[in-house]
Amino acid sequence: MLKRSVAAIRQWLSPEQIVQEPRSTQDDEACTARRGFFKKVAVGAVSITGTAGLAKVVVDSAPLPDLQDNYIKDSLAGEHELMEREYVLMSDQEKAEMIQTLVDKHSDQT
């Protein structure tokens, strides 16, 4: 079986079987269309790659914010807010009302 397939391949590839036929204009148009398509694909790939590279350069060159300075500003603003607040003691009546509200909400949920 192997000998038959090798013989068939030799016969298929033999120089007598290869006949040079002139190319038709339809084949030329198809080749030109394929070449144009692959050229457009190549140009598109190069442009996408170039754009991605340029975007990476722009992002990498952007200055990084000073995080320590931002942290200090935020901390000072929070401290200032806390210093402006007043500490007021809750009365016993307010405590009782708050506890009763919590008990009522809990009993409504169950």
Side-chain angles (χ1 to χ4, degrees), residues 94-110:
E94 289 174 326
K95 289 179 188 177
E97 288 174 2
M98 188 177 283
I99 291 173
Q100 189 60 43
T101 305
L102 290 173
V103 169
D104 291 343
K105 284 184 181 179
H106 180 71
S107 62
D108 289 344
Q109 289 178 358
T110 58

Side-chain angles (χ1 to χ4, degrees), residues 9-71:
I9 291 174
R10 280 188 188 158
Q11 186 181 15
W12 182 58
L13 295 175
S14 68
E16 294 89 30
Q17 294 292 331
I18 300 174
V19 178
Q20 294 290 334
E21 295 179 12
R23 294 180 84 177
S24 67
T25 57
Q26 190 176 19
D27 290 341
D28 289 340
E29 289 173 1
C31 286
T32 305
R34 273 190 229 118
R35 271 190 235 117
F37 171 74
F38 286 122
K39 188 185 293 184
K40 288 177 186 175
V41 168
V43 168
V46 168
S47 65
I48 289 172
T49 305
T51 303
L54 180 63
K56 183 179 183 330
V57 168
V58 168
V59 167
D60 288 346
S61 66
L64 296 174
D66 184 15
L67 298 179
Q68 184 67 30
D69 190 37
N70 290 347
Y71 175 77

Side-chain angles (χ1 to χ4, degrees), residues 58-99:
V58 168
V59 167
D60 288 346
S61 66
L64 296 174
D66 184 15
L67 298 179
Q68 184 67 30
D69 190 37
N70 290 347
Y71 175 77
I72 290 172
K73 286 179 185 177
D74 187 43
S75 176
L76 290 177
E79 289 293 327
H80 182 69
E81 178 70 27
L82 288 175
M83 287 174 30
E84 287 182 354
R85 292 187 181 179
E86 222 178 290
Y87 181 72
V88 179
L89 288 176
M90 189 181 286
S91 67
D92 290 334
Q93 181 183 358
E94 289 174 326
K95 289 179 188 177
E97 288 174 2
M98 188 177 283
I99 291 173

